[in-house]
Amino acid sequence: MVSLPSLLPCILLALFLWALPGWLLARRLGQGRTAALALAPALGWATQTPAALAVAHLFGLSPVVIIGSAALVSLCALALPRTRDEAAFPLSALVFAGLLALVPMLGVLPKVTADGAIALASPIYDHAKIILIDEIAQNRAIPPANPVFGAGGAAGTVAYYYLWHFGAAELALLSGAQGWAADAAATWFTGFAALALVAGLAFRLNPSLSAPFLALLAASAGSLRPVLAALFGGARVDHVLEPASGLAGLLYQTSWSPHHVSSATACVIAVLLMARLRAGRCAGEATVLAGLIGLAAAAAFGSSLWVGGVTFALAGTAAALVLGLSPPPVGRLRFLAALAGAALVALALVAPLLMAQIHAAAARGSGMPVQMVPFPVLGPGWPQALRAVLDPLSYGLVLLPVEFPGVLFAGVVGFALVFTGRVAGRAEQQTARALGALVIVALAVSAALQSTVGENNDLGWRAVLPAVLVLAAFAGAALAAALSRAVETTRARTGLALLAAGLALIAIGLPDTLALARRNIAGEQSADGRTFASDPALWQAVRRHVGPQVRIASNPARLEKLTPWPINLSWALLSRRRSCFGGEEMALAFAPLSASARTDAAALFGRVFAGMGTAEDVATLRRTFGCDGIVVTPQDGAWTADPFVSSALYRLAEEKDGRWRIYVAREAAP
């Protein structure tokens, strides 16, 4: 199980692997020594991970490939011209960002209760993909095998956007840590990189000591729902508004889905690089920047189909058009040519994953993955016909102010201040226009488009993330400007009013943040917590009998009370072994199976491990699903009605007093 000693090396490796190359690049992109540190984590991750994945496709994954890719990205800095900008960014803001990033990381870690059980926070449900990190780190095959399903026991392919998990696997491979520790470290780094990017961008817009801290406060504010529930009652709020969903603030989304947040940071990095490309005058610099933009775009797509694929395809194009059409006309053709080259680089890098996703979508037969459907905002207290009319308007006028009070108002004011020249210079104004296009289109995608691949509207929930990052930075710049005006006698009243309004909105969003932190720290105790605490020994025994490329069958519903939704977390977090069917929820994301095939497989495995399986069912596990190992525990109905004990297809490899039975396939099975 993950522990602090296994976590710290991964964090240090993340800083070395991503922040160091990012700092070298940022220093050549007009950032001062300290200001470059704020941009470095996001920039380094957005360039090293897609570069390492591309090289691993050619030469396999190894420490040499990982370190060599970081060195290659670092060398790109030498091809960029030197620039001077020595504004003193406050390093304490990075410390603050690192502390805030502990909130999502703590949601991933196990908590030991007084009676020795393990409590887990709800976000761990979405971190069941840790099994993919272990698959990549152990077998080092790129593209990785599918750890959830492989027809007939074959390796299979992963159509999920797995670049973030590949980055975590780099940490696991270099440190020797398990996937759970690497996931926790990568979650912290993702939060740190996103928050540092917000602070650095705020400082770039308004180089005052207060701007980064105010931007971080704005980014950390949560929803107004707890305050509204306290004032009017939760039932009444849910009657007026749709219940809370995954469309939420930065810390919440990093807790649950850090890969989407990383994709959003890569989108913002790509737009910042576009702005630098538009302002450049050197053909050699344009070539390097085109490559970096291509890497960042590939990192965005590789970590999230919804953020880096659908959203950035539209929002990034809008940002590029804004930059291309902006004055001066000199350099416009070079800019467009370089962007075309960047698009080709990105397309080449994402082609393997894109083709895998197309094939998986065809195999699932789920139809169009995106539909134009307004985001539901108003609750059941409104007539259905009226909701259909008002929902599109309510998204911007009601939902965004409720869910993002800390960034929306002050962020819009910040944009206005930059556009009118009251904050930032001419170069920052051009960058702000491109970022404004990114924000507007990202919010429009979230409001109007809906993903249909899974059970949730991941597109609507995640498309807001680039906008949240940018708005938080502009909010910090605006509040810092208001603070400076508040001390001036001529404009004190205006500055105080803006500052008070912005801080008040941040303050009423903080109860939601504190509640998130409390849940992530304490976790949720369950009846299965004590059993889960003893499961590392079970999976250690399994690993003694089956290798990392062997597929095992275990009860997909085992310890289902560990999380609010049923999933076999024991296997996903601790086994470090492939499954022949990891459950319907995991198959929905990873397996190229139709809905009916997933349902049939779930019924088969449920029947067998409930103790109602027949000899024919056991034969199906072996021959159709390629289950070469079987794990039976007292939590399974099969413990007392064991269909494997009399099977000619399996032999008992180990039985531990009332704790587990491990079967392996007979070599000469008929």
Side-chain angles (χ1 to χ4, degrees), residues 158-169:
V158 175
Y160 194 80
Y161 27 88
Y162 64 84
L163 182 66
W164 186 89
H165 302 87
F166 171 82

Side-chain angles (χ1 to χ4, degrees), residues 9 61 63 75 92 167 199 239 281 294 296 371 404 407 517 531 570 617 627:
L61 183 61
L75 288 175
S92 52
H239 191 64
R281 295 291 184 268
Q371 294 178 352
F404 307 105
V407 303
T531 302
S570 179
D617 290 335
C627 303

Side-chain angles (χ1 to χ4, degrees), residues 198 214-222 248-250 400-401 403-415 439 443 464-465 467-476 478-479 502 505-506 509:
V198 166
L214 292 169
L216 291 174
L217 282 175
S220 65
L250 184 60
L400 293 183
E403 299 298 349
F404 307 105
V407 303
L408 187 65
F409 167 72
V412 171
V413 172
F415 271 111
V439 168
L443 294 178
V464 299
L465 283 168
V468 170
L469 292 173
V470 174
L471 285 171
F474 276 84
L479 293 174
L505 288 171
I506 291 174

Side-chain angles (χ1 to χ4, degrees), residues 54 109 222 238 281 329 343 387 501 506 529 532 551 560 590 611 647 655:
L109 299 180
D238 288 341
R281 295 291 184 268
R387 292 168 66 184
I506 291 174
F532 181 75
R551 293 197 179 274
E560 62 183 3
F590 281 97
S647 174
E655 181 172 6

